[in-house]
Amino acid sequence: MADHDNCVREVRREGNDIVVSLAGEIDLHKAPEVHRALVGACEGKPRNLVVNLEQVTYMDSSGIGTLVEVFRRVNAYEGKLGLSGVGPRVRSLFEITKLDKFFNIYPSEAEALRA
Amino acid sequence: MTNVAVDVPNNAVIAVRDLVMSFAGPDGRLVHVLDGVSFEVYAGETLVIMGGSGCGKSTLLNCLIGELRPTDGHIYYRIKGMNQPVDLRAMNEKGLNELRKRFGILFQSGALFNSMTVAENIALPLQEHSYVDSSIIDIVVTLKLQQVHMLEHRDKMPAQLSGGQKKRAGLARATALDPEILYYDEPSAGLDPVTSAAIDQLMMDLSKKLQVTSVVVTHEMDSAFRIADRMVMLDRGKVLKIGRREEFESLRDTSPERLANDDERLIHQFLCGDPEGPLTKADGTSEYEKLIIAGE
C-alpha cells in the first residue's frame, strides 16, 4: 500500500525566491504534508515559488488540487508559482485537467528561477 | 492484506481462477450461477463481460468488487504498491475496504445520493478516505466535473439531472479517488443511442488518458463493440469465449451456417440479437420439455 516516507525533500531560499523539491508518490496520504510545506513557503510571500517535481514518480488528483490551491495563494499576493522537472506522467495529468494553460511549467529549476 | 504466491501474469491486474458461486435453489439443490470461471484483465485494457439475462455476469461483477464471497476459486488483484497479488477471497473486511479504495464503480443508476448536490456526491469519497483540506477537495471536485463535462451542474440535485447526466456525475464520483480499476455495471442501460455513445466516448477518454483498467458488464452490443479491447462471453455460468474484439466481430459477421460449432452459433446469435438459434433453444426448449414431459 502507500509509502508514507517524507516526500518534501527540500525547502531552499534563493534570494527572494523559494524552491520546494518534492519526491516520490504524491497521493491522498501525502497531499496534506505537501500542502503544509507549500503554504509555509508562501508565508514570506516569495517573488517566485518554484516547485521542483523532478523526483515525483506519481501524482493523483489530490496532489494536483494541492498545487492549484497554492497557485491561488501565490496569485493573491501577485507572486509567481513555477513548476520544474515535470515528468511525462504528471504532465499528462495537467493536460487532461487543462491546467497546463494556467501553470508556468519550466524545463529546469534554473529557468523557473530566472522567470 | 494476504499475500499469496500464485501464477498471475505480470501484466495482469486481475486474475480470476476457477470461480464458483452457488446458491441454494427453491428445491434445496445447489445452483451454480458461476461454474469454473477463469480469465485475466490486463493493465490499461477495457474488458467487456457480456451474456444474456441470467448468465451470471452481475454475480461475477459482485464477486469482483467483493460484494459477494465466492463459493470456490480465487480472484487475484495485483495493485500498485503491492509486491505480490492478493486473493480477494482470503481477505477480511478491513483488507477488502482497503482494496475497494483502489477501484471505482459506476452503478447502473449512477447511485447518487438524492439528498446531496452533484458536487457533494463527488466530494464524499474524498472526505471519507483522506485528510486533505476541504479547499483542496473542492478543487478536486471541479477537476472531476470538468473531466465529465458537468461543471455547470455542480450545484444541482440528482433529481434535476437527466439519465445521461446522472451517469456522468456517477462517473465523476467513481473516479474521485483516482482508481486503478473502474467497474461499469450496464453503463448504457436506459440511455438513448446518442447519450449512450457519448458515455462510451467518455469512458474511452478516461480509460486512455488516465491509464485506468476498465471492466464493463453489459449486454448492449453497440456499446460493447465501441469500447472493448477484449471480450468475455458468459453462458449459464461458464465462459464460452474470451478474445479480442476483432474475433467477436468476425463471429458476428459470419453467417451461422459457416460457423464451426454450436458455441460459435450461440455467440453469433447473441451478438446479432437473433430470436432464433441455439441460445433460445437452450434456454427455452429444454426447460419447456422438463416442465411438460417430465413434469419437473
Side-chain angles (χ1 to χ4, degrees):
Chain A
M1 284 293 170
D3 161 21
H4 293 280
D5 287 346
N6 192 328
C7 60
V8 179
R9 289 296 156 89
E10 186 184 45
V11 180
R12 189 176 86 245
R13 182 166 281 283
E14 292 271 346
N16 291 326
D17 305 332
I18 290 184
V19 178
V20 178
S21 298
L22 305 177
E25 300 188 352
I26 299 174
D27 58 14
L28 281 170
H29 303 284
K30 303 282 184 64
E33 178 198 337
V34 171
H35 190 230
R36 276 193 300 275
L38 293 175
V39 168
C42 286
E43 276 171 5
K45 298 186 178 175
R47 185 183 63 96
N48 263 336
L49 174 61
V50 176
V51 183
N52 187 334
L53 301 172
E54 203 174 326
Q55 292 182 62
V56 170
T57 53
Y58 170 83
M59 187 180 283
D60 72 2
S61 301
S62 61
I64 299 279
T66 299
L67 292 177
V68 173
E69 206 277 337
V70 173
F71 173 79
R72 288 177 182 171
R73 282 174 190 262
V74 175
N75 264 3
Y77 69 76
E78 296 180 345
K80 278 187 187 170
L81 175 71
L83 306 178
S84 70
V86 181
R89 169 110 178 91
V90 177
R91 184 178 284 272
S92 75
L93 260 180
F94 276 91
E95 287 166 3
I96 295 163
T97 49
K98 297 188 167 59
L99 292 174
D100 52 330
K101 294 174 185 167
F102 306 111
F103 278 84
N104 296 311
I105 300 177
Y106 301 95
S108 69
E109 191 182 293
E111 285 173 81
L113 284 168
R114 276 200 296 272
Chain B
M1 289 193 187
T2 313
N3 283 341
V4 283
V6 287
D7 179 26
V8 176
N10 276 340
N11 54 346
V13 178
I14 307 166
V16 177
R17 295 282 181 265
D18 305 316
L19 198 70
V20 175
M21 186 74 219
S22 308
F23 297 103
D27 56 359
R29 278 188 286 188
L30 274 184
V31 178
H32 299 307
V33 179
L34 297 173
D35 192 2
V37 170
S38 295
F39 62 90
E40 286 105 24
V41 188
Y42 297 108
E45 77 168 344
T46 297
L47 181 84
V48 167
I49 299 170
M50 57 190 179
S53 303
C55 72
K57 58 187 190 299
S58 297
T59 303
L60 176 58
L61 177 66
N62 281 317
C63 289
L64 287 169
I65 63 174
E67 285 300 311
L68 280 177
R69 204 164 274 266
T71 312
D72 203 357
H74 304 277
I75 300 170
Y76 298 110
Y77 277 89
R78 189 197 295 278
I79 298 285
K80 190 166 68 71
M82 292 178 189
N83 297 327
Q84 294 281 335
V86 291
D87 184 1
L88 182 142
R89 193 159 161 257
M91 284 178 178
N92 57 23
E93 201 52 40
K94 187 168 173 271
L96 267 177
N97 285 335
E98 275 299 307
L99 182 70
R100 285 191 189 111
K101 287 182 204 168
R102 305 301 193 91
F103 47 76
I105 307 164
L106 177 62
F107 294 100
Q108 235 182 86
S109 59
L112 300 168
F113 290 104
N114 287 328
S115 58
M116 294 177 172
T117 64
V118 168
E120 287 165 346
N121 264 285
I122 299 164
L124 193 63
L126 290 152
Q127 289 161 342
E128 281 181 341
H129 295 299
S130 79
Y131 299 101
V132 293
D133 201 85
S134 62
S135 61
I136 295 171
I137 289 180
D138 199 50
I139 294 165
V140 174
V141 168
T142 303
L143 299 178
K144 298 298 171 185
L145 283 169
Q146 185 269 335
Q147 283 173 11
V148 299
H149 318 301
M150 284 281 291
L151 278 174
E152 69 272 33
H153 304 293
R154 182 187 182 96
D155 298 319
K156 286 186 180 167
M157 304 302 281
Q160 297 172 280
L161 302 178
S162 69
Q165 288 166 345
K166 280 182 188 164
K167 288 272 163 87
R168 284 173 188 273
L171 194 47
R173 195 180 63 182
T175 59
L177 294 173
D178 295 296
E180 291 163 58
I181 301 165
L182 268 173
Y183 285 108
Y184 297 89
D185 183 14
E186 303 281 5
S188 308
L191 300 180
D192 65 74
V194 175
T195 309
S196 169
I199 294 290
D200 289 344
Q201 187 58 53
L202 189 57
M203 288 162 61
M204 289 188 286
D205 281 352
L206 288 178
S207 162
K208 298 290 176 279
K209 288 176 182 167
L210 302 177
Q211 294 162 350
V212 174
T213 303
S214 304
V215 178
V216 185
V217 169
T218 187
H219 61 254
E220 304 274 346
M221 285 304 101
D222 287 345
S223 170
F225 281 114
R226 267 196 296 265
I227 59 178
D229 293 310
R230 291 192 309 132
M231 300 170 124
V232 176
M233 171 88 189
L234 289 182
D235 181 47
R236 283 167 287 171
K238 291 179 186 290
V239 172
L240 208 57
K241 182 177 173 61
I242 305 173
R244 296 202 56 78
R245 183 189 61 219
E246 296 80 2
E247 295 173 47
F248 281 88
E249 281 171 338
S250 169
L251 282 176
R252 178 195 62 188
D253 299 339
T254 305
S255 65
E257 313 80 70
R258 300 182 64 185
L259 293 170
N261 53 47
D262 259 3
D263 279 358
E264 287 192 354
R265 280 186 280 276
L266 190 148
I267 295 167
H268 171 89
Q269 184 193 355
F270 179 79
L271 298 176
C272 295
D274 289 342
E276 297 291 329
L279 191 63
T280 33
K281 204 172 172 184
D283 275 0
T285 314
S286 59
E287 197 60 27
Y288 189 52
E289 270 175 12
K290 268 195 258 174
L291 285 166
I292 294 294
I293 300 169
E296 286 179 12

